[in-house]
Amino acid sequence: MAEKLRATPLLDELEKGPWPSFVTEMKKSAAKNPMANDQLGILEHSYRDKIGHWKHGGLVGVMGYGGGVIGRYSDLPEEYPECAEFHTIRVNQPAGWFYTSDVLRKLCDVWEKHGSGLTNMHGSTGDIILLGAKTEALEPVFSDLTEMGFDLGGSGSDVRTPSCCCGESRCEWACYDTMKFTHELTQHFQDELHRPAFPYKFKFKMAGCPNDCVASVARSDMSIIGTWRDNIQIDQKEVAAYVKNGLDIDADVTSRCPTGCIKWDGKALQIDNTNCVKCMHCINTMPKGLAPGKDRGATILLGAKAPIIGGALLASVLVPFYDMEDAEDIYELAEEIWDVWGEHGMNRERVGEFIQRIGLGNFLEQIGLEPEPEMVMHPRTNPYIFFELDEEG
Amino acid sequence: MATTTEVAEAMYAMVKEYHGKKNLKALDLRKAMIEKFGDDNCDKKICKGAIRELIDSGKCTYSYVGGSYIVLPPEA
Ligand code: SF4
Ligand code: SF4
């Protein structure tokens, strides 16, 4: 039991107002756990000094794994001895983040027994994040977690824990089974997930449709986004019912179509599907009236990243349409990419930055993929496709 | 073909040789092994297995210093 809560006048400000506060939650843990109490103290100290008091890196982990634990040390160990070592453990979340309440309780029990009790559900990688373990606790936590069927996620220069939207389990827009694919991909790349061998991290994110609820287009090196290649399904009766019930279809749907390919003549909706860019706007607005087509698969994009070393990048299309019948093809594509990037990439250079450096034309040639018109970055630009005049031309 | 254990031993010798001088990544080891044994005798799969053997036996461990490296354990 912690004897007395650390004084936190600055953090207390964050408890004011009508919103939930992480400080209140941390205090609940601090009342029971000395590590959480010292963490509260060090956070207050950081707010006061306007500087973080954490160092990171070093040699911490569990036997046989190169990722999953991020070493964190405080630079004020005398003042906050209980969080002198405060390592982060990433635990591979179930695909789609489905848990039973029983499992969640057991996870918390394991964490209260061995660590600070503080969690982050979920980190931006998608993992269950257990915040604050001493080095001596790592193996026991790992052993309790594996007994429950959990495994560590990725960290460092490896495949980061793949994550996906809930897909077909709850969402009618899903164009492929994101959860099944993600689970299988995770199993297939266990070695790449636990044994870092790349120039830098590599993230996979899977979204069932272009709404991209997991922000894969901005947050993953390889993003696999469900799509369709036939016509949007229209139920004209339901569309008419929306209009009858007050939807201003011109103002809220047709005039907002980015390519102007959808028309309403007062009786029926018409879509020029050849010009539809699958933005999902009309479908999201009239979910009973419209649905993605029936010929479904996914678009594979490459190269997004959040700003860490360089600036942020959005992904570019690599494979415009893949039917998602055989995951082996995607595994092979990923391995081709890793070989080229591994061979020529610089330390801490994400694959998107690598492509920018060598040019997508060269990159495609190296991985043996034919350029396609859909790979353009913006209309009227095609930075990746080059026409070579033949000798006699 | 070289065996996984042979490649693991050659990798271990290399990690020891570079200890304290240069951190080696999995790919550095792989490249060096394919060069040493020749690409008829050693490939990506054998190197993966060899690294697994080194790590699982505790002879080497991973370290993170701005990137992930394969190093001798701290007590070595
Ligand atoms: S990305 Fe699409 S399929 Fe997945 S949950 Fe969101 S709307 Fe549904
Ligand atoms: S999905 Fe977007 S681009 Fe396609 S018709 Fe609807 S609004 Fe237009």
Side-chain angles (χ1 to χ4, degrees):
Chain A
M1 275 304 255
E3 286 173 6
K4 190 167 162 265
L5 280 192
R6 294 271 186 177
T8 54
L10 290 174
L11 292 179
D12 294 349
E13 292 296 314
L14 299 176
E15 291 186 284
K16 294 178 182 164
W19 307 280
S21 167
F22 73 96
V23 175
T24 309
E25 299 308 312
M26 280 176 72
K27 283 182 179 173
K28 286 185 202 162
S29 290
K32 298 187 283 190
N33 186 308
M35 287 185 83
N37 195 20
D38 270 8
Q39 155 65 16
L40 205 56
I42 206 168
L43 188 62
E44 174 74 17
H45 205 120
S46 294
Y47 273 52
R48 204 165 60 232
D49 294 354
K50 298 191 173 66
I51 188 172
H53 282 291
W54 298 110
K55 304 181 284 183
H56 114 282
L59 275 166
V60 278
V62 298
M63 182 73 176
Y65 281 46
V69 180
I70 299 124
R72 297 248 187 269
Y73 300 89
S74 153
D75 63 5
L76 301 168
E78 283 84 24
E79 255 175 280
Y80 305 100
E82 285 296 330
C83 55
E85 292 168 349
F86 204 81
H87 311 312
T88 297
I89 302 178
R90 289 203 179 129
V91 183
N92 195 328
Q93 79 285 5
W97 299 288
F98 281 92
Y99 305 92
T100 60
S101 46
D102 181 50
V103 161
L104 285 175
R105 270 191 206 100
K106 284 184 182 144
L107 256 179
C108 291
D109 288 347
V110 167
W111 193 227
E112 278 173 5
K113 179 170 146 206
H114 297 290
S116 75
L118 299 172
T119 62
N120 172 6
M121 305 286 274
H122 296 82
S124 58
T125 46
D127 298 84
I128 302 162
I129 307 283
L130 305 180
L131 292 159
K134 294 180 182 170
T135 307
E136 71 205 25
L138 295 174
E139 290 291 351
V141 176
F142 181 53
S143 145
D144 283 4
L145 288 171
T146 46
E147 213 165 285
M148 286 177 68
F150 281 99
D151 194 0
L152 297 191
S155 68
S157 307
D158 60 8
V159 165
R160 296 302 182 84
T161 317
S163 72
C164 64
C165 75
C166 60
E168 290 177 351
S169 66
R170 285 205 313 140
C171 185
E172 60 203 291
W173 303 150
C175 295
Y176 71 99
D177 189 343
T178 51
M179 287 175 57
K180 177 170 181 277
F181 179 81
T182 302
H183 177 73
E184 288 172 0
L185 179 95
T186 307
Q187 297 304 323
H188 185 84
F189 287 130
Q190 280 293 293
D191 216 78
E192 287 73 9
L193 213 158
H194 298 308
R195 300 171 195 279
F198 301 148
Y200 204 16
K201 62 183 98 169
F202 191 95
K203 298 183 180 178
F204 286 100
K205 287 196 195 294
M206 276 54 71
C209 82
N211 278 335
D212 194 10
C213 295
V214 281
S216 69
V217 77
R219 303 303 300 266
S220 62
D221 298 273
M222 184 178 274
S223 93
I224 302 174
I225 303 180
T227 189
W228 65 94
R229 58 181 169 181
D230 55 350
N231 296 342
I232 291 179
Q233 302 180 65
I234 309 178
D235 182 332
Q236 297 287 3
K237 262 197 200 143
E238 291 289 355
V239 172
Y242 276 106
V243 177
K244 194 168 159 234
N245 291 331
L247 175 74
D248 186 342
I249 197 164
D250 289 326
D252 295 335
V253 183
T254 58
S255 65
R256 291 178 191 263
C257 170
T259 58
C261 71
I262 183 166
K263 300 268 175 295
W264 168 250
D265 64 7
K267 286 192 200 111
L269 194 73
Q270 277 166 359
I271 299 176
D272 168 10
N273 282 277
T274 55
N275 280 313
C276 166
V277 289
K278 278 99 177 157
C279 77
M280 294 292 292
H281 174 70
C282 58
I283 298 173
N284 291 336
T285 315
M286 300 188 289
K288 288 185 188 161
L290 300 175
K294 290 182 180 158
D295 183 9
R296 297 177 176 193
T299 299
I300 304 174
L301 301 96
L302 196 70
K305 62 178 275 292
I308 298 184
I309 296 178
L313 290 175
L314 287 180
S316 298
V317 171
L318 194 64
V319 178
F321 186 87
Y322 183 67
D323 59 17
M324 299 303 284
E325 300 262 301
D326 186 2
E328 285 294 330
D329 289 342
I330 297 180
Y331 303 160
E332 273 173 32
L333 177 66
E335 288 191 36
E336 289 288 346
I337 291 166
W338 295 336
D339 278 349
V340 176
W341 174 50
E343 181 76 20
H344 305 289
M346 297 191 298
N347 196 26
R348 304 197 86 192
E349 182 178 48
R350 293 286 285 272
V351 76
E353 294 163 331
F354 170 66
I355 294 168
Q356 277 197 326
R357 180 162 62 81
I358 69 161
L360 192 66
N362 290 330
F363 178 75
L364 292 177
E365 209 172 293
Q366 293 278 322
I367 61 168
L369 211 65
E370 287 292 320
E372 300 212 27
E374 289 89 341
M375 290 170 180
V376 296
M377 267 169 110
H378 313 283
R380 296 178 204 280
T381 67
N382 61 346
Y384 320 134
I385 300 167
F386 301 97
F387 297 96
E388 281 167 22
L389 292 175
D390 59 36
E391 300 269 293
E392 280 145 43
Chain B
M1 270 294 193
T3 66
T4 311
T5 306
E6 280 165 354
V7 175
E9 273 163 17
M11 282 181 175
Y12 183 59
M14 191 173 164
V15 174
K16 256 174 56 181
E17 188 191 329
Y18 280 83
H19 180 64
K21 296 176 203 137
K22 185 181 183 240
N23 284 327
L24 298 169
K25 298 194 116 187
L27 193 78
D28 299 326
L29 291 170
R30 185 171 112 195
K31 274 190 198 163
M33 292 305 116
I34 292 177
E35 203 177 308
K36 182 179 166 74
F37 289 90
D39 48 14
D40 291 343
N41 293 314
C42 181
D43 59 16
K44 201 163 94 178
K45 212 170 143 207
I46 293 183
C47 289
K48 261 192 189 178
I51 290 173
R52 189 179 310 147
E53 211 170 291
L54 278 183
I55 301 288
D56 289 353
S57 65
K59 284 171 92 176
C60 287
T61 183
Y62 286 100
S63 122
Y64 186 82
V65 211
S68 300
Y69 298 94
I70 293 171
V71 298
L72 297 179
E75 67 275 12

